[in-house]
Amino acid sequence: MVFFLDALDTCRRPAQGTSPTTGADAILQNIRTCNTIVRALVHVADAPVQDAAAQASASALLAGVPIVVKDLIDVSGMPTCLGSRAISNTAIAHAEVVTALLREGAMIAGKSHTTEFAMSGWGVSPLGRPLNPIDARDLFFTGGSSNGSGAAVASGLVPAALGTDTGGSVRIPSSWCGITGLKGSPGWVSTQGVAALSQRFDVVGPMARTAADVRTLYRAMLPEPRRAALETGLENAAKESLPTLIFLDDDSLGQLDSEVLAAYRAAQVHCTQQGFPTKRQAIPCDFAEMAGIWADISALEGYLNNRVWADDLSAPLEDSARHNLLQGKRIDLENYFALLNRASLCREKMERLLTPGYLLVVPTTSTPAMQLSAFDPKRTLGIYTRFVNLIQGCAIAVPNGLSQDGRPTSMQFVGAYGQDAVILHAASQWQAQTDWHERIRQQHLQQMQALETQAN
């Protein structure tokens, strides 16, 4: 039977009669073997990174659960390379979010691929391109920049992973790989020990198959005050009426793949049948305008964070990565503050829409996973994701359909800052009454079985 870890519950606690270390060693060996096919991880741990006392705790949320983290996130003793040949640092301490996972019994199995400096939404870096397990023939991009985390979860190497999301980098690979990914409210999860692209927009986000598993992982990632606030919010959301879901009109959506649009419109019907009040209206700010403001702000901050490599012409950066970083040089302080003011106006307008009791529902990506032959570095893949970071909101991407050729489609529940519990509850309600996540899980399993057969 193919090695396929598909849920937190199937991994919690070691098998009966097996020590935590022995069980973890076996899991690591399986991950190492399968990764030669999936190519999701840039580094597999030499030995289990875990806290034995935490794993033995009856209250541990993630006891024995193997998790991988994006290669922007420090794990002591492991390299942190940011997807670049120019960087080869070995972390001397854990990022705070890694420490939080270890306290809940998790086992860190390795580091997942990222696009170089986490800047591309396609899912390719100088260090490798993961397989998208929606198709064993390796025809499609995974999306990025958390490309390795998306591939690791979709292929069953691990049941959950951490990515980072600056403008959609958790949600785009979640969409293209057919899993669930959360971009939480900024500041809720610590970014200490996480390489920065844009401090204004960066968040660390959980990725798993279901909203239920994302919720558990997110709880484990949060510091105690935030966790308490989340749990209170989830309890309140379960007691209160379902939020009104705002779906957008065609003019607001702009250019959208016909099958993504069909899945989006069908989702409104399903949500209404599930008891969500729904309505359709225009968006108060243009997606392209918000994406452009986001791009300029993040370009300047990305350059300032990584200029030591961008300005060093001897550093072995990909031309596209260097070009993108150097774009930030053209933005002076006056323009930067003007951009921040424009961002504040967009947030003000969007928060008039996202008042308590209301969530926005938008597609996650404008197309399903794109073929490798369709690569276009000039194409904006985050047109429906960047605005959430711009307005300091939160969003969760969930599967909502399949194209005729079997590629997942996805939508986001979007809330204003601090509405993390509300969007998690809405996503859980959606998945409790739909089976897209399960159908895609079966597809992933079938494709992994096909790969195993080919390998043998």
Side-chain angles (χ1 to χ4, degrees), residues 85-155:
R85 291 190 298 262
I87 304 172
S88 184
N89 296 328
T90 297
I92 59 174
H94 296 317
E96 283 192 9
V97 67
V98 170
T99 299
L101 295 183
L102 294 174
R103 286 177 184 146
E104 290 296 340
M107 186 264 284
I108 307 302
K111 306 290 287 291
S112 56
H113 275 291
T114 175
T115 61
E116 194 165 20
F117 298 103
M119 289 190 300
S120 170
W122 289 90
V124 181
S125 87
L127 303 185
R129 177 185 61 78
L131 168 85
N132 187 338
I134 63 172
D135 194 308
R137 295 171 295 174
D138 195 13
L139 298 176
F140 300 101
F141 286 107
T142 55
S145 62
S146 303
N147 47 348
S149 291
V153 172
S155 64

Side-chain angles (χ1 to χ4, degrees), residues 123-260:
V124 181
S125 87
L127 303 185
R129 177 185 61 78
L131 168 85
N132 187 338
I134 63 172
D135 194 308
R137 295 171 295 174
D138 195 13
L139 298 176
F140 300 101
F141 286 107
T142 55
S145 62
S146 303
N147 47 348
S149 291
V153 172
S155 64
L157 262 66
V158 289
L162 299 191
T164 65
D165 192 310
T166 304
S169 291
V170 161
R171 291 161 288 156
I172 293 170
S174 292
S175 173
W176 281 9
C177 292
I179 61 173
T180 300
L182 173 70
K183 180 262 181 234
S185 293
W188 278 44
V189 174
S190 172
T191 54
Q192 184 277 326
V194 181
L197 179 58
S198 169
Q199 286 89 339
R200 179 167 296 274
F201 302 135
D202 293 347
V203 298
V204 182
M207 304 168 74
R209 290 200 172 274
T210 65
D213 277 359
V214 163
R215 180 179 60 207
T216 298
L217 184 55
Y218 194 46
R219 287 178 62 205
M221 295 163 64
L222 293 172
E224 187 53 43
R226 289 295 188 192
R227 184 188 296 191
L230 179 74
E231 291 173 347
T232 298
L234 289 168
E235 291 172 4
N236 291 339
K239 297 174 186 176
E240 297 169 355
S241 300
L242 291 172
T244 297
L245 303 181
I246 302 169
F247 287 77
L248 297 178
D249 58 24
D250 288 353
D251 289 341
S252 295
L253 291 170
Q255 293 185 339
L256 194 62
D257 177 270
S258 60
E259 291 184 287
V260 173

Side-chain angles (χ1 to χ4, degrees), residues 104-432:
E104 290 296 340
M107 186 264 284
I108 307 302
K111 306 290 287 291
S112 56
H113 275 291
T114 175
T115 61
E116 194 165 20
F117 298 103
M119 289 190 300
S120 170
W122 289 90
V124 181
S125 87
L127 303 185
R129 177 185 61 78
L131 168 85
N132 187 338
I134 63 172
D135 194 308
R137 295 171 295 174
D138 195 13
L139 298 176
F140 300 101
F141 286 107
T142 55
S145 62
S146 303
N147 47 348
S149 291
V153 172
S155 64
L157 262 66
V158 289
L162 299 191
T164 65
D165 192 310
T166 304
S169 291
V170 161
R171 291 161 288 156
I172 293 170
S174 292
S175 173
W176 281 9
C177 292
I179 61 173
T180 300
L182 173 70
K183 180 262 181 234
S185 293
W188 278 44
V189 174
S190 172
T191 54
Q192 184 277 326
V194 181
L197 179 58
S198 169
Q199 286 89 339
R200 179 167 296 274
F201 302 135
D202 293 347
V203 298
V204 182
M207 304 168 74
R209 290 200 172 274
T210 65
D213 277 359
V214 163
R215 180 179 60 207
T216 298
L217 184 55
Y218 194 46
R219 287 178 62 205
M221 295 163 64
L222 293 172
E224 187 53 43
R226 289 295 188 192
R227 184 188 296 191
L230 179 74
E231 291 173 347
T232 298
L234 289 168
E235 291 172 4
N236 291 339
K239 297 174 186 176
E240 297 169 355
S241 300
L242 291 172
T244 297
L245 303 181
I246 302 169
F247 287 77
L248 297 178
D249 58 24
D250 288 353
D251 289 341
S252 295
L253 291 170
Q255 293 185 339
L256 194 62
D257 177 270
S258 60
E259 291 184 287
V260 173
L261 179 60
Y264 178 69
R265 293 296 177 219
Q268 181 173 359
V269 175
H270 287 310
C271 286
T272 302
Q273 293 171 346
Q274 291 176 12
F276 286 97
T278 66
K279 64 178 183 175
R280 188 184 300 188
Q281 67 180 75
I283 195 169
C285 296
D286 180 71
F287 283 118
E289 177 189 4
M290 290 190 287
I293 297 169
W294 172 93
D296 285 342
I297 294 173
S298 62
L300 175 58
E301 295 187 356
Y303 167 71
L304 293 175
N305 283 313
N306 298 291
R307 59 186 168 181
V308 64
W309 298 289
D311 288 337
D312 180 1
L313 297 183
S314 67
L317 271 62
E318 295 251 308
D319 290 343
S320 59
R322 191 186 305 279
H323 171 79
N324 290 337
L325 286 174
L326 291 177
Q327 288 299 299
K329 271 184 135 176
R330 63 186 170 82
I331 301 168
D332 59 25
L333 194 59
E334 181 179 353
N335 285 328
Y336 179 67
F337 281 110
L339 288 164
L340 294 182
N341 288 334
R342 292 175 64 192
S344 294
L345 289 174
C346 290
R347 179 175 181 176
E348 180 181 330
K349 291 178 181 178
M350 291 299 295
E351 286 189 344
R352 292 175 193 164
L353 187 71
L354 298 172
T355 54
Y358 289 84
L359 298 178
L360 178 63
V361 181
V362 296
T364 307
T365 51
S366 60
T367 69
M370 297 184 70
Q371 289 196 10
L372 303 182
S373 59
F375 178 65
D376 179 5
K378 295 182 180 179
R379 179 169 183 152
T380 300
L381 298 179
I383 195 70
Y384 300 116
T385 55
R386 292 178 176 181
F387 83 96
V388 183
N389 303 72
L390 185 76
I391 68 169
Q392 305 287 288
C394 55
I396 185 168
V398 294
N400 72 339
L402 284 164
S403 67
Q404 289 187 348
D405 60 356
R407 292 173 294 158
T409 61
S410 176
M411 68 183 188
Q412 303 170 84
F413 294 96
V414 180
Y417 175 86
Q419 294 297 299
D420 303 53
V422 180
I423 62 170
L424 277 164
H425 181 70
S428 296
Q429 290 293 111
W430 165 261
Q431 290 185 338

